[in-house]
Amino acid sequence: MSLLWQARFFTTVNHLRDLPKTQVPEIAFAGRSNAGKSTAINVLCNQKKLAFASKTPGRTQHINYFSIGGAHVGQHRKDETRVDEIRALLVDLPGYGYAEVSGSAKLHWQELLGDYVQRREQLAALILIVDSRRPFTELDIQMLEWFAPTGKPIHCLLTKSDKLNRNDSANALRTARTILGSYVDENGQPFPFTAQLFSSLKRSGLDEATDRIIDLLGLNEEVADESNDPTAGDV
Ligand SMILES: Nc1nc2c(ncn2[C@@H]2O[C@H](COP(=O)(O)OP(=O)(O)O)[C@@H](O)[C@H]2O)c(=O)[nH]1
Ligand SMILES: [Mg+2]
C-alpha cells in the first residue's frame, strides 16, 4: 500500500497570503489544463474523487492541498495539535493554458503560480504533468524556467501514454528527456529534471511515479532519520 493512499483533502487557497503555515515538505502538481493532472492525482492516491477531474477544463483557479499522515486531520484542521501529525502535503495547482479564461483571471493564476513555485520554501519538488502527445508547450517551458533557478527537482509525467504506440511513446520520452536535459545552471550542470511515461487509464508508470514522489518528499527515509536526528524532516 502506498503512503499516497492516505491523502485527504486539507485546504483550498486563493491567495499566497493564505498558504498553510505547515512546515512539512510539499510536492506540487502543475500542468496544462486537460493534461490529465486531476486524474493522475486520483490514481496515485487510489481515490476516485480526491482531485476533481473534469470535462470542462479551466474551472479550478485555486490551489488545493491534500495531506499525508494524520488521516483524521481533514475534519479537525482548525485544531493545531492535529496538524502536527501531517507528514507531507500534495498540492494541486491551477491548470494553465485554458483558452477561455479571461485576461485578468489568467494574470491572477500566472502570478499565483509563478510566485508559489519560486518562493515557497516548503516546496520540495514539482511534478509536471504533460500530455505525451503535446509535450512542452510554451507554458510548460515557462514553468520550467520559473522553477529551474530554485535548483529543486522536477519529475515530469508524460500522461495518456495509452494513446501512443510503443514507438511513439519511446520517442516522446526521449524528446522530453532531451528538453529537460537542455537546462543547465551557470556551471553547465544539468538541473535535477527527470521524466517517465504515465497512463492513468492503464495505470502504467504508477509504481515509478509513486516511488519518485515518496522519495522527493523524503518519506522513505523518515524512520531511519528519526532514530538518529530528531530535527530530520524539518525544512
Ligand atoms: N486516455 C486517457 N485519458 C486520460 C488519461 N488521464 C486523463 N485522461 C482524460 O483527459 C481528460 C482531462 O483529464 P483531467 O484529469 O481532468 O485533466 P486536468 O485538467 O489536467 O486535471 C479527461 O477526459 C480524462 O478522462 C489517461 O491516462 N489516458
Ligand atoms: Mg484538473
Side-chain angles (χ1 to χ4, degrees):
M1 195 183 118
S2 147
L3 270 176
L4 301 183
W5 293 11
Q6 297 180 2
R8 294 284 183 283
F9 176 75
F10 181 58
T11 191
T12 294
V13 300
N14 254 307
H15 300 280
L16 291 176
R17 61 175 180 269
D18 298 326
L19 287 174
K21 300 202 174 9
T22 43
Q23 292 301 312
V24 295
E26 55 195 53
I27 200 161
F29 293 77
R32 196 182 164 82
S33 181
N34 214 40
K37 180 162 56 76
S38 302
T39 313
I41 293 172
N42 288 340
V43 168
L44 286 161
C45 298
N46 196 35
Q47 295 174 52
K48 286 201 168 68
K49 291 180 183 163
L50 186 65
F52 187 63
S54 172
K55 297 229 186 289
T56 39
R59 300 191 65 177
T60 11
Q61 292 296 312
H62 40 247
I63 298 180
N64 285 317
Y65 270 82
F66 308 107
S67 58
I68 309 281
H72 50 291
V73 161
Q75 288 85 47
H76 300 277
R77 62 183 184 275
K78 291 198 165 57
D79 179 347
E80 293 295 322
T81 60
R82 301 285 187 193
V83 172
D84 289 348
E85 296 175 20
I86 295 176
R87 297 170 67 186
L89 293 162
L90 307 179
V91 186
D92 187 7
L93 296 174
Y96 44 77
Y98 182 56
E100 287 171 38
V101 173
S102 73
S104 64
K106 230 178 228 172
L107 204 63
H108 174 72
W109 77 250
Q110 201 155 337
E111 286 171 357
L112 190 76
L113 278 181
D115 285 356
Y116 170 80
V117 300
Q118 288 174 326
R119 295 196 202 157
R120 179 73 166 169
E121 285 182 23
Q122 296 90 324
L123 183 59
L126 199 64
I127 303 297
L128 191 61
I129 306 291
V130 175
D131 189 324
S132 55
R133 299 163 304 170
R134 283 193 74 185
F136 300 104
T137 63
E138 201 180 318
L139 291 166
D140 297 318
I141 298 291
Q142 166 84 87
M143 187 54 90
L144 288 177
E145 288 179 1
W146 272 332
F147 200 61
T150 68
K152 297 173 187 174
I154 292 181
H155 186 60
C156 184
L157 300 186
L158 302 172
T159 58
K160 311 191 191 184
S161 65
D162 54 277
K163 301 225 185 203
L164 296 178
N165 65 29
R166 192 178 287 266
N167 196 31
D168 291 342
S169 307
N171 284 336
L173 184 58
R174 193 172 324 112
T175 305
R177 286 181 171 156
T178 302
I179 292 171
L180 294 172
S182 71
Y183 286 86
V184 291
D185 65 17
E186 64 267 25
N187 301 318
Q189 294 299 311
F191 287 103
F193 294 170
T194 50
Q196 66 161 102
L197 293 163
F198 190 84
S199 165
S200 295
L201 190 76
K202 294 273 165 66
R203 305 174 66 87
S204 61
L206 195 52
D207 289 348
E208 185 181 355
T210 300
D211 290 351
R212 187 83 178 115
I213 291 166
I214 298 286
D215 192 32
L216 289 167
L217 285 170
L219 291 177
N220 50 358
E221 289 156 18
E222 206 158 273
V223 176
D225 284 350
E226 270 167 5
S227 56
N228 302 328
D229 175 4
T231 63
D234 288 358
V235 181

